[in-house]
Amino acid sequence: MSPLGNLLRSSLGRKLIMALTGIVMVGFVVGHLAGNLQIFQSPDHLNGYAAFLHQLGPLLWVARIVLLASVALHIWAATSLTLENKRARGNEGYAVKTWLRASLASRAVRWTGYIVLAFLLYHLAHFTLGIAGAEHFKANLPSYTMQEDYHVAGYLVVTKGTAVPDVHSMVILGFQSPVVSLFYIIAVGLLSFHLLHGIDSLFQTLGWRTTNWAGVLRAVALAFCVLYFAGNLLIPGAVLTGAKGLRPGFAREAVKTTSVLR
C-alpha cells in the first residue's frame, strides 16, 4: 500500500491529519476575527478589507478550497477515529470508565463540532450569499459606497474613489437582529469550547505536551479560546447596545450588493 494509504488507515496518521487541518482552521478563524474587528474602525477599513479579498480572484478560491478540504478531512478523521474507538472498547464497563476519565471538552467535542459546522453554513448563507435572513436585507439593503485608500502591510490595495459594497452597514444590519446575534454568540461559544479541546489535542499529537509543559500549554489554549470568544462577542454586543451604529448618511434605498465574503 502507498504511504498515503498507510497514513489514512493508521490511527496516528488520522490524528496527524486532524492536527494539521486544525492548524489551518485555527489560522482561518484568527484571520477572520482580525478582519471583522476592523468594524470598530472607520467604515472604509472593513469595506476596503472585503474589496481587497475579492480582488484576489483565483487566490481567494484557492484559499476557499484549501479551507473546505481541511474541514472535510478534519470531520472524516474525527468520525473514523470515534467509530474505531467505539469498536475497540468492547465491553460497557470500559466505556463507562473512559467516559468518567474524559474531560468535559473531550466528551462534547464531537457535538460542538457538528453544531459549529451547521453555524458556519448558516453564517455563510446569511452574510456571504444573502440567502438566510433575505427578508431582513430586502428592507435594508446595503449600498455601494465610495472607498478611501486602503492599505495592507503598507501597500495600497484599494484606491480612493473605488465603489465597493458597504459591508460595514451589512454587518451592523445583520447583528441588529437579537435572534441572529444570540445565535452567533452561542455558536462562537461552542466553537471556542471546541477549540479548547482541539488545541490541547494538537499539542499532544505534535509531541509538544510533556509532563512539565502540560499545565502551561493547557493555560495557553484556555487563554486563546477566552480571548477569541471575547473578541467575537464584542461585535454583536456593540451593535445590540448601540455602541456601534450605521455609518452617517447610510441610505435605506440602497443598491443591492453582490455576494460579499466575510
Side-chain angles (χ1 to χ4, degrees), residues 157-192:
V157 293
V158 182
T159 58
K160 182 177 180 179
T162 304
V164 298
D166 190 0
V167 180
H168 180 271
S169 298
M170 182 182 185
V171 172
I172 291 175
L173 285 170
F175 284 126
Q176 281 180 346
S177 167
V179 174
V180 170
S181 290
L182 180 61
F183 182 45
Y184 179 87
I185 293 168
I186 293 173
V188 170
L190 291 173
L191 174 57
S192 302

Side-chain angles (χ1 to χ4, degrees), residues 33-217:
L33 175 60
N36 285 353
L37 286 176
Q38 293 181 82
I39 197 170
F40 292 105
Q41 297 175 278
S42 70
D44 289 313
H45 281 80
L46 187 58
N47 293 339
Y49 167 69
F52 163 68
L53 291 179
H54 277 273
Q55 288 178 2
L56 295 177
L59 290 178
L60 181 58
W61 278 105
V62 170
R64 286 169 172 169
I65 291 170
V66 169
L67 178 62
L68 290 173
S70 297
V71 171
L73 283 171
H74 196 83
I75 293 173
W76 168 79
T79 302
S80 63
L81 284 170
T82 298
L83 295 175
E84 186 177 272
N85 288 338
K86 283 185 177 181
R87 290 193 297 268
R89 282 186 194 133
N91 60 67
E92 184 180 351
Y94 176 76
V96 171
K97 291 178 182 178
T98 302
W99 172 266
L100 292 174
R101 286 198 301 265
S103 68
L104 178 61
S106 176
R107 295 199 300 264
V109 69
R110 282 177 296 153
W111 296 114
T112 57
Y114 291 128
I115 293 171
V116 167
L117 176 61
F119 159 71
L120 289 175
L121 294 175
Y122 171 80
H123 190 58
L124 288 172
H126 188 192
F127 285 105
T128 301
L129 302 177
I131 298 172
E135 292 303 318
H136 176 69
F137 284 122
K138 284 177 182 177
N140 304 280
L141 290 172
S143 65
Y144 281 87
T145 184
M146 303 307 289
Q147 177 69 29
E148 295 292 326
D149 286 344
Y150 180 76
H151 297 79
V152 172
Y155 293 95
L156 178 64
V157 293
V158 182
T159 58
K160 182 177 180 179
T162 304
V164 298
D166 190 0
V167 180
H168 180 271
S169 298
M170 182 182 185
V171 172
I172 291 175
L173 285 170
F175 284 126
Q176 281 180 346
S177 167
V179 174
V180 170
S181 290
L182 180 61
F183 182 45
Y184 179 87
I185 293 168
I186 293 173
V188 170
L190 291 173
L191 174 57
S192 302
F193 196 58
H194 186 85
L195 287 172
L196 177 60
H197 172 75
I199 294 173
D200 194 46
S201 297
L202 186 151
F203 289 147
Q204 181 175 357
T205 300
L206 297 180
W208 297 349
R209 194 173 75 182
T210 62
T211 302
N212 294 333
W213 283 97
V216 174
L217 292 176

Side-chain angles (χ1 to χ4, degrees), residues 33 37 40 188 192 223-236:
L33 175 60
L37 286 176
F40 292 105
V188 170
S192 302
F224 171 84
C225 294
V226 170
L227 289 174
Y228 175 74
F229 176 70
N232 279 284
L233 182 63
L234 283 174
I235 302 172

